[in-house]
Short mmCIF file of all heavy atoms in Angstrom, two decimals:
data_model
loop_
_atom_site.label_atom_id
_atom_site.label_comp_id
_atom_site.label_asym_id
_atom_site.label_seq_id
_atom_site.Cartn_x
_atom_site.Cartn_y
_atom_site.Cartn_z
N ALA A 23 94.92 103.47 128.74
CA ALA A 23 94.80 102.63 129.93
C ALA A 23 96.12 102.54 130.68
O ALA A 23 96.16 102.56 131.91
CB ALA A 23 94.32 101.23 129.53
N ARG A 24 97.21 102.46 129.94
CA ARG A 24 98.55 102.35 130.55
C ARG A 24 98.83 103.52 131.47
O ARG A 24 99.46 103.36 132.53
CB ARG A 24 99.59 102.27 129.44
CG ARG A 24 101.02 102.08 129.89
CD ARG A 24 101.93 102.11 128.68
NE ARG A 24 103.30 101.81 129.01
CZ ARG A 24 104.31 101.92 128.15
NH1 ARG A 24 104.07 102.30 126.90
NH2 ARG A 24 105.54 101.64 128.51
N PHE A 25 98.36 104.70 131.10
CA PHE A 25 98.62 105.90 131.90
C PHE A 25 97.39 106.34 132.69
O PHE A 25 97.33 107.48 133.15
CB PHE A 25 99.13 107.02 131.00
CG PHE A 25 100.53 106.79 130.49
CD1 PHE A 25 100.76 106.12 129.30
CD2 PHE A 25 101.62 107.21 131.24
CE1 PHE A 25 102.05 105.89 128.84
CE2 PHE A 25 102.92 106.99 130.79
CZ PHE A 25 103.14 106.32 129.59
N ASN A 26 96.42 105.44 132.83
CA ASN A 26 95.23 105.68 133.65
C ASN A 26 94.47 106.93 133.22
O ASN A 26 93.99 107.71 134.04
CB ASN A 26 95.60 105.78 135.14
CG ASN A 26 94.40 105.62 136.05
OD1 ASN A 26 93.45 104.89 135.73
ND2 ASN A 26 94.40 106.31 137.17
N LEU A 27 94.36 107.11 131.91
CA LEU A 27 93.61 108.22 131.35
C LEU A 27 92.22 107.75 130.96
O LEU A 27 92.03 106.59 130.61
CB LEU A 27 94.35 108.78 130.13
CG LEU A 27 95.77 109.28 130.43
CD1 LEU A 27 96.53 109.54 129.14
CD2 LEU A 27 95.74 110.54 131.29
N LYS A 28 91.24 108.66 130.99
CA LYS A 28 89.85 108.24 130.85
C LYS A 28 89.11 109.06 129.78
O LYS A 28 88.23 109.87 130.09
CB LYS A 28 89.14 108.36 132.21
CG LYS A 28 89.79 107.49 133.28
CD LYS A 28 89.19 107.71 134.65
CE LYS A 28 89.87 106.85 135.69
NZ LYS A 28 89.30 107.07 137.05
N PRO A 29 89.43 108.83 128.53
CA PRO A 29 88.75 109.56 127.47
C PRO A 29 87.35 109.00 127.22
O PRO A 29 86.99 107.91 127.69
CB PRO A 29 89.64 109.28 126.26
CG PRO A 29 90.13 107.88 126.52
CD PRO A 29 90.37 107.83 128.02
N ILE A 30 86.57 109.77 126.46
CA ILE A 30 85.33 109.27 125.87
C ILE A 30 85.58 109.19 124.37
O ILE A 30 85.86 110.21 123.73
CB ILE A 30 84.13 110.17 126.18
CG1 ILE A 30 83.89 110.26 127.69
CG2 ILE A 30 82.87 109.66 125.49
CD1 ILE A 30 82.77 111.21 128.09
N ILE A 31 85.48 107.98 123.81
CA ILE A 31 85.84 107.75 122.41
C ILE A 31 84.61 107.29 121.64
O ILE A 31 83.90 106.37 122.06
CB ILE A 31 86.96 106.70 122.30
CG1 ILE A 31 88.23 107.18 123.02
CG2 ILE A 31 87.26 106.36 120.84
CD1 ILE A 31 89.34 106.14 123.10
N PHE A 32 84.38 107.93 120.50
CA PHE A 32 83.31 107.53 119.59
C PHE A 32 83.96 107.09 118.28
O PHE A 32 84.70 107.86 117.66
CB PHE A 32 82.35 108.69 119.32
CG PHE A 32 81.59 109.14 120.53
CD1 PHE A 32 82.10 110.15 121.34
CD2 PHE A 32 80.37 108.56 120.86
CE1 PHE A 32 81.40 110.57 122.46
CE2 PHE A 32 79.66 108.98 121.98
CZ PHE A 32 80.18 109.98 122.79
N VAL A 33 83.66 105.86 117.86
CA VAL A 33 84.13 105.35 116.57
C VAL A 33 82.92 105.22 115.66
O VAL A 33 82.02 104.42 115.93
CB VAL A 33 84.84 103.99 116.74
CG1 VAL A 33 85.29 103.46 115.38
CG2 VAL A 33 86.05 104.13 117.67
N LEU A 34 82.88 106.00 114.59
CA LEU A 34 81.74 106.02 113.68
C LEU A 34 81.94 104.97 112.60
O LEU A 34 82.85 105.09 111.77
CB LEU A 34 81.59 107.41 113.06
CG LEU A 34 81.66 108.60 114.03
CD1 LEU A 34 81.41 109.90 113.29
CD2 LEU A 34 80.71 108.43 115.20
N ASN A 35 81.10 103.95 112.63
CA ASN A 35 81.24 102.81 111.72
C ASN A 35 80.26 102.95 110.56
O ASN A 35 79.07 102.67 110.69
CB ASN A 35 80.99 101.50 112.48
CG ASN A 35 81.26 100.28 111.63
OD1 ASN A 35 81.44 100.38 110.42
ND2 ASN A 35 81.30 99.12 112.26
N ASN A 36 80.78 103.42 109.41
CA ASN A 36 79.98 103.59 108.20
C ASN A 36 80.26 102.51 107.16
O ASN A 36 79.89 102.67 106.00
CB ASN A 36 80.26 104.95 107.55
CG ASN A 36 79.76 106.11 108.38
OD1 ASN A 36 80.54 106.80 109.02
ND2 ASN A 36 78.45 106.33 108.36
N ASP A 37 80.94 101.43 107.59
CA ASP A 37 81.24 100.34 106.65
C ASP A 37 82.10 100.83 105.48
O ASP A 37 81.80 100.57 104.32
CB ASP A 37 79.95 99.71 106.14
CG ASP A 37 80.21 98.42 105.35
OD1 ASP A 37 81.24 97.76 105.60
OD2 ASP A 37 79.39 98.08 104.48
N GLY A 38 83.18 101.53 105.82
CA GLY A 38 84.10 101.94 104.76
C GLY A 38 84.58 103.37 104.93
O GLY A 38 84.25 104.06 105.90
N TYR A 39 85.38 103.82 103.97
CA TYR A 39 85.89 105.18 103.97
C TYR A 39 84.81 106.12 103.45
O TYR A 39 84.72 106.38 102.25
CB TYR A 39 87.13 105.29 103.10
CG TYR A 39 88.36 104.57 103.62
CD1 TYR A 39 88.97 103.57 102.87
CD2 TYR A 39 88.93 104.92 104.84
CE1 TYR A 39 90.10 102.92 103.32
CE2 TYR A 39 90.06 104.27 105.31
CZ TYR A 39 90.64 103.28 104.55
OH TYR A 39 91.77 102.64 105.01
N LEU A 40 84.00 106.66 104.36
CA LEU A 40 82.87 107.48 103.92
C LEU A 40 83.33 108.74 103.20
O LEU A 40 82.78 109.10 102.15
CB LEU A 40 81.99 107.83 105.11
CG LEU A 40 80.81 108.77 104.81
CD1 LEU A 40 79.94 108.23 103.70
CD2 LEU A 40 79.99 109.02 106.07
N ILE A 41 84.30 109.44 103.74
CA ILE A 41 84.72 110.68 103.10
C ILE A 41 85.24 110.42 101.69
O ILE A 41 85.00 111.21 100.76
CB ILE A 41 85.77 111.44 103.96
CG1 ILE A 41 86.04 112.84 103.39
CG2 ILE A 41 87.06 110.65 104.09
CD1 ILE A 41 84.84 113.75 103.36
N GLU A 42 85.93 109.29 101.50
CA GLU A 42 86.42 108.96 100.16
C GLU A 42 85.25 108.61 99.23
O GLU A 42 85.26 108.97 98.04
CB GLU A 42 87.40 107.79 100.22
CG GLU A 42 88.54 107.96 101.21
CD GLU A 42 89.48 109.09 100.86
OE1 GLU A 42 89.31 109.72 99.79
OE2 GLU A 42 90.38 109.38 101.66
N ARG A 43 84.24 107.94 99.76
CA ARG A 43 83.05 107.64 98.94
C ARG A 43 82.41 108.92 98.43
O ARG A 43 81.89 108.99 97.31
CB ARG A 43 82.04 106.82 99.73
CG ARG A 43 82.49 105.42 100.14
CD ARG A 43 81.32 104.62 100.66
NE ARG A 43 81.74 103.43 101.39
CZ ARG A 43 82.11 102.28 100.82
NH1 ARG A 43 82.14 102.19 99.50
NH2 ARG A 43 82.47 101.25 101.56
N LEU A 44 82.40 109.95 99.29
CA LEU A 44 81.76 111.21 98.92
C LEU A 44 82.61 112.01 97.93
O LEU A 44 82.07 112.85 97.20
CB LEU A 44 81.51 112.06 100.17
CG LEU A 44 80.54 111.46 101.20
CD1 LEU A 44 80.48 112.34 102.43
CD2 LEU A 44 79.14 111.30 100.59
N LEU A 45 83.90 111.77 97.91
CA LEU A 45 84.79 112.58 97.08
C LEU A 45 85.15 111.94 95.74
O LEU A 45 85.43 112.65 94.77
CB LEU A 45 86.10 112.88 97.84
CG LEU A 45 85.98 113.66 99.14
CD1 LEU A 45 87.36 113.84 99.76
CD2 LEU A 45 85.32 115.01 98.92
N CYS A 46 85.14 110.62 95.66
CA CYS A 46 85.69 109.96 94.47
C CYS A 46 84.64 109.79 93.37
O CYS A 46 83.45 110.04 93.56
CB CYS A 46 86.29 108.61 94.85
SG CYS A 46 85.06 107.36 95.28
N LYS A 47 85.08 109.34 92.20
CA LYS A 47 84.22 109.17 91.04
C LYS A 47 83.21 108.06 91.24
O LYS A 47 82.03 108.20 90.91
CB LYS A 47 85.09 108.89 89.80
CG LYS A 47 84.30 108.71 88.51
CD LYS A 47 85.23 108.57 87.31
CE LYS A 47 86.00 107.24 87.39
NZ LYS A 47 86.82 107.02 86.17
N ASP A 48 83.66 106.92 91.79
CA ASP A 48 82.78 105.77 92.00
C ASP A 48 82.73 105.45 93.49
O ASP A 48 83.64 104.83 94.03
CB ASP A 48 83.30 104.55 91.22
CG ASP A 48 82.45 103.30 91.47
OD1 ASP A 48 81.37 103.43 92.08
OD2 ASP A 48 82.89 102.21 91.04
N PRO A 49 81.67 105.88 94.19
CA PRO A 49 81.60 105.68 95.64
C PRO A 49 81.72 104.22 96.07
O PRO A 49 82.21 103.94 97.17
CB PRO A 49 80.22 106.24 96.01
CG PRO A 49 79.89 107.19 94.92
CD PRO A 49 80.49 106.61 93.68
N GLU A 50 81.30 103.29 95.20
CA GLU A 50 81.34 101.88 95.57
C GLU A 50 82.63 101.19 95.12
O GLU A 50 82.71 99.96 95.15
CB GLU A 50 80.13 101.16 94.99
CG GLU A 50 78.80 101.58 95.62
CD GLU A 50 78.78 101.33 97.12
OE1 GLU A 50 79.24 100.25 97.57
OE2 GLU A 50 78.32 102.21 97.86
N ALA A 51 83.62 101.96 94.73
CA ALA A 51 84.90 101.37 94.35
C ALA A 51 85.46 100.54 95.50
O ALA A 51 85.34 100.91 96.67
CB ALA A 51 85.89 102.46 93.95
N TYR A 52 86.09 99.43 95.15
CA TYR A 52 86.54 98.48 96.16
C TYR A 52 87.55 99.09 97.13
O TYR A 52 87.65 98.68 98.29
CB TYR A 52 87.14 97.25 95.47
CG TYR A 52 87.58 96.16 96.42
CD1 TYR A 52 86.64 95.45 97.17
CD2 TYR A 52 88.93 95.85 96.59
CE1 TYR A 52 87.04 94.45 98.05
CE2 TYR A 52 89.33 94.85 97.46
CZ TYR A 52 88.39 94.16 98.19
OH TYR A 52 88.78 93.18 99.07
N TYR A 53 88.31 100.08 96.66
CA TYR A 53 89.32 100.67 97.54
C TYR A 53 88.73 101.44 98.71
O TYR A 53 89.44 101.82 99.63
CB TYR A 53 90.30 101.55 96.76
CG TYR A 53 89.70 102.66 95.92
CD1 TYR A 53 89.10 103.78 96.49
CD2 TYR A 53 89.77 102.60 94.53
CE1 TYR A 53 88.57 104.79 95.72
CE2 TYR A 53 89.25 103.61 93.74
CZ TYR A 53 88.65 104.71 94.34
OH TYR A 53 88.13 105.72 93.56
N ASN A 54 87.42 101.66 98.70
CA ASN A 54 86.76 102.32 99.83
C ASN A 54 86.23 101.34 100.87
O ASN A 54 85.66 101.75 101.88
CB ASN A 54 85.61 103.20 99.34
CG ASN A 54 86.11 104.43 98.61
OD1 ASN A 54 87.13 105.00 98.98
ND2 ASN A 54 85.40 104.84 97.56
N ASP A 55 86.38 100.04 100.61
CA ASP A 55 85.92 99.03 101.55
C ASP A 55 86.97 98.75 102.61
O ASP A 55 88.18 98.95 102.39
CB ASP A 55 85.58 97.72 100.82
CG ASP A 55 84.40 97.88 99.86
OD1 ASP A 55 83.63 98.85 100.04
OD2 ASP A 55 84.27 97.05 98.94
#
């Protein structure tokens, strides 16, 4: 906004670190929240 730029931004809200949930031993580990 400061430089008057006009991107299109998508923020994907999966309620946590999805890629880490898919990679780690326990997907529901608290560190993924």
Side-chain angles (χ1 to χ4, degrees):
R24 183 183 185 188
F25 288 90
N26 196 33
L27 301 168
K28 300 174 181 179
I30 299 176
I31 298 173
F32 295 91
V33 178
L34 313 184
N35 186 349
N36 292 105
D37 190 26
Y39 291 121
L40 176 55
I41 189 62
E42 307 295 355
R43 294 192 195 280
L44 296 175
L45 299 179
C46 71
K47 181 175 68 175
D48 178 10
E50 292 301 317
Y52 183 67
Y53 54 70
N54 290 323
D55 294 341

